[in-house]
Amino acid sequence: MPELPEVETTLRGLEKHLHLKSIEQVLVRRRDLRWPIADSFEEVIVNQSITSFRRKGKYLILDLKNGISILGHLGMSGTFRVEPKMPDDLRKHDHLVIIFESGEVAIYHDPRRFGFILLCHTKDLSQHPRLKNMGPDPIESTELSTCYFEKALKKRSGMIKPALLDQKLIAGVGNIYACEALYEARIHPKRQANSLKGKEIERLIESIRAVMQSAIASGGSTLKDFSGASGQSGYFQHAFKVYNRAQETCMSCNLLLSVENLAGRSTFFCKKCQK
DNA sequence: CTCCTGTCCTGCCGGC
DNA sequence: TGCCGGCAGGACAGGA
């Protein structure tokens, strides 16, 4: 589930509780996530504190005092939660447990294990293979310009919806927010990316930003199991205008919404309002 | 380059 | 009630 707004919500929660606090003990219960947690992980992060909490697209970046950063991704089902003290029972799929001097505990939970937790020298992050080809982040206002987006879309002959999911083009957009942003911008998901006009591209960027900002303000979206660092559910799912609403009516024109599989992903849209 | 398919893994839901 | 197939928020490798 976690797209940019859920990652942002997670980061803000982690920062609120754990900023500059010292790590006392690290428990890795399962190393075999999408990529394995480094054997040295425990010794590298113990006795360190987290000095900054950052994000690039859907990636979490936790900078440690010693010049190392934790590069994390929540995959499809990952969550971080902070408990005030070590719980009596850890849950199934609690793969990583970080205990702080304050007694607080950060727990990475991920049933599908599509997420991962990597280490990287902070200074080398921008060249990390996972990050170096990543497109601009739509929320960091300096990154995504109309000019860039227009050029990038010109090169694409495929449909706009699958293109939006390509992290090399734009970072942080997943299936839900791609559907919502296209609806907001009144652009049909099957439109050829290179056929979008300047006005439409501007509208699309604005819509992506607006939907993301609004979702962040709602603490993200909870479909099955996303929750923020304090275990709270997001509530942006109640504000979905098209996602998961097949067989419901368009809020604007009352027509029945459509769902179609594009490049393997369910795509929700209004065939009348989106051109 | 870009685009599409199959794959990783577990849980859940609907149909029979 | 139980079993089975299909599907799910992501991203990668590999091949066309």
Side-chain angles (χ1 to χ4, degrees):
Chain A
M1 76 129 359
E3 302 181 29
L4 187 156
E6 289 72 36
V7 176
E8 183 69 24
T9 299
T10 298
L11 264 178
R12 290 184 183 184
L14 291 175
E15 179 166 33
K16 181 175 144 200
H17 294 286
L18 303 174
H19 184 54
L20 293 179
K21 290 181 183 171
S22 182
I23 295 171
E24 187 173 270
Q25 196 189 338
V26 184
L27 223 59
V28 179
R29 302 173 80 223
R30 261 200 101 138
R31 304 200 99 84
D32 55 335
L33 305 184
R34 168 103 200 224
W35 287 291
I37 295 179
D39 290 336
S40 62
F41 186 80
E42 293 94 320
E43 57 174 296
V44 169
I45 78 163
V46 79
N47 291 326
Q48 297 301 315
S49 56
I50 308 172
T51 55
S52 50
F53 297 73
R54 300 184 286 148
R55 184 184 60 67
K56 173 77 184 184
K58 301 173 196 172
Y59 284 78
L60 300 130
I61 301 169
L62 310 179
D63 299 312
L64 302 176
K65 213 175 160 186
N66 62 357
I68 303 282
S69 295
I70 298 173
L71 179 60
H73 195 293
L74 302 175
M76 292 266 249
S77 58
T79 58
F80 261 107
R81 67 183 195 276
V82 179
E83 301 275 1
K85 63 179 188 54
M86 185 68 179
D88 293 332
D89 304 296
L90 288 170
R91 302 207 304 252
K92 193 178 178 185
H93 308 305
D94 285 346
H95 305 310
L96 170 64
V97 181
I98 301 175
I99 302 159
F100 288 76
E101 212 169 52
S102 63
E104 290 155 296
V105 183
I107 300 172
Y108 179 67
H109 177 91
D110 185 1
R112 291 174 71 181
R113 288 188 285 122
F114 281 7
F116 48 87
I117 311 279
L118 304 174
L119 292 176
C120 178
H121 286 279
T122 306
K123 61 178 173 47
D124 300 332
L125 269 174
S126 63
Q127 286 312 305
H128 191 283
R130 304 274 81 77
L131 298 183
K132 69 178 178 193
N133 293 321
M134 181 150 310
D137 186 295
I139 296 298
E140 307 293 326
S141 59
T142 54
E143 291 194 11
L144 175 61
S145 67
T146 311
C147 179
Y148 159 81
F149 210 43
E150 196 156 8
K151 272 189 200 149
L153 290 181
K154 280 277 170 285
K155 290 188 237 163
R156 297 215 163 222
S157 57
M159 296 178 282
I160 183 65
K161 157 67 166 40
L164 288 179
L165 301 183
D166 184 345
Q167 304 297 299
K168 292 193 287 301
L169 180 73
I170 177 173
V173 180
N175 200 38
I176 294 176
Y177 297 106
C179 294
E180 293 297 319
L182 284 169
Y183 175 78
E184 208 62 47
R186 305 190 304 280
I187 295 169
H188 198 288
K190 289 164 100 167
R191 274 284 294 284
Q192 243 184 302
N194 59 16
S195 77
L196 295 188
K197 304 275 172 284
K199 268 249 166 61
E200 294 175 311
I201 291 171
E202 273 175 42
R203 227 161 57 210
L204 181 53
I205 291 182
E206 269 326 295
S207 301
I208 292 169
R209 290 212 173 105
V211 167
M212 296 264 179
Q213 297 281 20
S214 171
I216 290 168
S218 300
S221 305
T222 296
L223 270 107
K224 283 199 170 79
D225 48 16
F226 171 76
S227 57
S230 308
Q232 80 282 15
S233 286
Y235 47 94
F236 190 71
Q237 66 278 10
H238 305 302
F240 289 166
K241 292 185 176 160
V242 287
Y243 186 80
N244 246 348
R245 302 185 81 104
Q247 301 309 314
E248 294 181 45
T249 53
C250 170
M251 304 173 93
S252 166
C253 75
N254 274 337
L255 192 73
L256 223 47
L257 293 172
S258 308
V259 59
E260 256 184 75
N261 193 299
L262 302 188
R265 317 298 300 278
S266 295
T267 304
F268 300 86
F269 61 101
C270 174
K271 60 186 178 206
K272 189 168 163 195
C273 294
Q274 295 175 251
K275 302 288 184 199

